[in-house]
Amino acid sequence: CADRERQMGFYVNLLNRLPHPVWWRRSEDLRLIGCNTAYARALDMTIDEVLQSQRQLGAGAIPEHGQALAQRARRSREPQSESHYIVVDGKRRLLDFTESILGDEEDMIAGFAQDVTPLEEVQTTLATHIAAHDQILEMLGSAIAVFGADKRLKFFNEAFLRLWGLDEDFFPDDLTYGELLEL
């Protein structure tokens, strides 16, 4: 019994050291029965306050919204994920939420959330840079065509169409270099 308590203490300590919110719930009623400190901190509460209030991360004022993902995981018997914006420490963050049935007995469901805001910010910055480069290349009077590593056309400007007497509406999007030479 003491060995089992020590092992349980180890796992609780491990979960509390994770930077990602983690929670677990009973499968039958989907009530929270545990969470780590990152989950409680994201809600600006203690673990006991979270469990007493049944406050769901990302569910706002409606606890049932936090249970919808767990319900889908229970029905499908497969891990389920979705993304939501939430406010953590006064900042808007994009979190990927995942819930999954634990073990063979299916009496518990566990979940975790991962902050993917930095990835979203990088993707937005990259898209902005690509759009700016496309706009600059489009404004140039020189004919420009850009092919990818797969030898398929990725970009062309209006001057390129004029040079070859091509109609943009007729022009295939995934034209290869060889196909272009045959036009």
Side-chain angles (χ1 to χ4, degrees):
C1 189
D3 197 34
R4 186 173 172 92
E5 285 180 28
R6 191 173 347 169
Q7 188 178 19
M8 187 65 155
F10 169 80
Y11 289 122
V12 168
N13 191 26
L14 175 67
L15 289 172
N16 283 331
R17 291 180 185 271
L18 292 175
H20 308 291
V22 177
W23 60 95
W24 48 101
R25 57 177 90 231
R26 282 191 302 265
S27 181
E28 67 271 2
D29 61 6
L30 301 178
R31 289 182 54 79
L32 290 173
I33 57 173
C35 68
N36 70 350
T37 53
Y39 184 99
R41 194 175 25 234
L43 292 169
D44 200 24
M45 302 172 90
T46 67
I47 291 174
D48 289 337
E49 291 169 336
V50 169
L51 298 179
Q52 183 177 2
S53 68
Q54 289 295 298
R55 180 94 180 271
Q56 305 283 318
L57 185 62
I62 306 171
E64 295 79 30
H65 286 182
Q67 295 174 350
L69 189 61
Q71 288 172 345
R72 288 200 322 261
R74 182 175 58 192
R75 277 194 308 267
S76 72
R77 306 268 190 259
E78 295 287 329
Q80 298 292 309
S81 298
E82 62 188 23
S83 299
H84 296 284
Y85 287 99
I86 66 168
V87 176
V88 178
D89 293 330
K91 296 179 184 129
R92 184 175 185 247
R93 311 297 295 177
L94 178 62
L95 270 63
D96 278 348
F97 292 85
T98 300
E99 297 227 21
S100 180
I101 292 174
L102 285 182
D104 296 332
E105 298 175 23
E106 301 176 1
D107 59 345
M108 286 183 50
I109 295 175
F112 65 93
Q114 185 174 5
D115 187 351
V116 293
T117 307
L119 176 61
E120 181 198 34
E121 290 169 350
V122 167
Q123 289 172 335
T124 300
T125 300
L126 179 60
T128 301
H129 282 283
I130 289 171
H133 289 141
D134 287 354
Q135 187 176 18
I136 289 170
L137 293 175
E138 186 62 49
M139 292 186 323
L140 293 175
S142 301
I144 297 174
V146 177
F147 291 86
D150 61 356
K151 297 188 173 124
R152 296 202 174 277
L153 188 62
K154 301 297 181 193
F155 175 85
F156 58 90
N157 64 1
E158 187 69 33
F160 178 81
L161 292 174
R162 281 194 312 271
L163 175 68
W164 296 102
L166 300 170
D167 182 12
E168 184 174 359
D169 295 332
F170 169 75
F171 209 62
D173 288 339
D174 61 348
L175 192 68
T176 66
Y177 183 72
E179 292 169 338
L180 175 65
L181 293 176
E182 291 176 10
L183 288 179

